[in-house]
Amino acid sequence: MITIRRAADRFTTPGDGLTSRHSFSFGVHYDPADVGFAVLVAHNDDVVAPGAGYGTHPHTDTEIVTWVLAGSMRHEDSDGRSGVVHPGVVQRLSAGRGVLHSERNDAPGADVPTRFVQMWLRPDDSGLDPSYALAPVDLQSGLVPVVSGIRGLDAAARIHTAGAALHVARLAAGEVVTAPDAAHLHVFVAGGAVDVEGAGGLRDGDAARFTAEGGPRIAATEPAEVLVWQLP
């Protein structure tokens, strides 16, 4: 089964200096037929103006993965951890039994809008100790594992969701990669345009969801960045 979700069909939440586009039901936007995909329960594409962002708010029992496409985002949490996420660096926050955090486009020198994709997953166990990781990613050729909960699959950061992994590829026009063969795949185009086997042409903000379809080929029709979730 293959489901296409076009950028223009996504829920959008405007705010003070920010815009968030949601791949699934989120906040005031609710569609009972679209509340997540396997263990992936949020997939938000946000643009945040300089000085704006999300004030301190709580999370529990959620694996939160942040991937910045442009600009930077500063994280602070109630356990005293902080970091600045920028392109080429992945952030993972495991909320566990509970944590407060904030995310703002106000790192020193920040003067351009930040675009980032934030993704939430259900962990295998509840009540874990909150933890945090900020790690550089070497986006060599092909699909690169960025976070992983799959035994034996190395990545820049680990998540507490077995069988799940995020892969990222930055593709030149004409470059082809093959997605992992998994029970569920979520393919999101974060920039440019690609042709995805079985789904056809996808552009910036489009997504395709695959269920038991094998590992499709992804071919860039122009320079592109693609985020692929391998899900149990």
Side-chain angles (χ1 to χ4, degrees), residues 92-184:
R92 185 269 297 153
L93 175 64
S94 296
R97 64 176 177 270
V99 69
L100 302 171
H101 80 142
S102 63
E103 301 157 297
R104 299 191 62 83
N105 180 10
D106 63 359
D111 58 1
V112 297
T114 292
R115 182 184 174 198
F116 70 100
V117 182
Q118 189 169 91
M119 300 148 281
W120 301 0
L121 296 93
R122 293 192 298 268
D124 295 333
D125 300 306
S126 61
L128 299 171
D129 291 337
S131 61
Y132 177 75
L134 186 69
V137 178
D138 181 11
L139 284 181
Q140 54 196 317
S141 61
L143 276 172
V144 177
V146 172
V147 299
S148 174
I150 298 175
R151 186 187 301 271
L153 179 64
D154 291 333
R158 301 297 296 178
I159 53 175
H160 299 96
T161 306
L166 172 64
H167 307 255
V168 176
R170 289 180 182 160
L171 305 173
E175 190 174 352
V176 179
V177 294
T178 300
D181 187 357
H184 300 85

Side-chain angles (χ1 to χ4, degrees), residues 5 11 22-27 29-36 41-42:
R5 181 78 164 179
F11 297 126
H22 317 294
S23 292
F24 311 122
S25 296
F26 193 88
H29 306 288
Y30 179 67
D31 176 355
D34 192 28
V35 296
V41 295

Side-chain angles (χ1 to χ4, degrees), residues 7 10 17 19-21 43-50 66-73 85-89 105 112-118 170 188-192 203-206 225 227:
R10 300 167 77 195
T19 301
S20 183
R21 295 179 173 86
H43 196 290
N44 297 333
D45 183 356
D46 291 8
V47 176
V48 182
T66 303
W67 183 253
V68 171
L69 303 172
S72 64
M73 183 64 62
V85 198
H86 52 79
V89 172
N105 180 10
V112 297
T114 292
R115 182 184 174 198
F116 70 100
V117 182
Q118 189 169 91
R170 289 180 182 160
F188 177 76
V189 182
R203 300 194 62 84
D204 189 356
D206 292 344
E225 184 162 347
L227 281 60

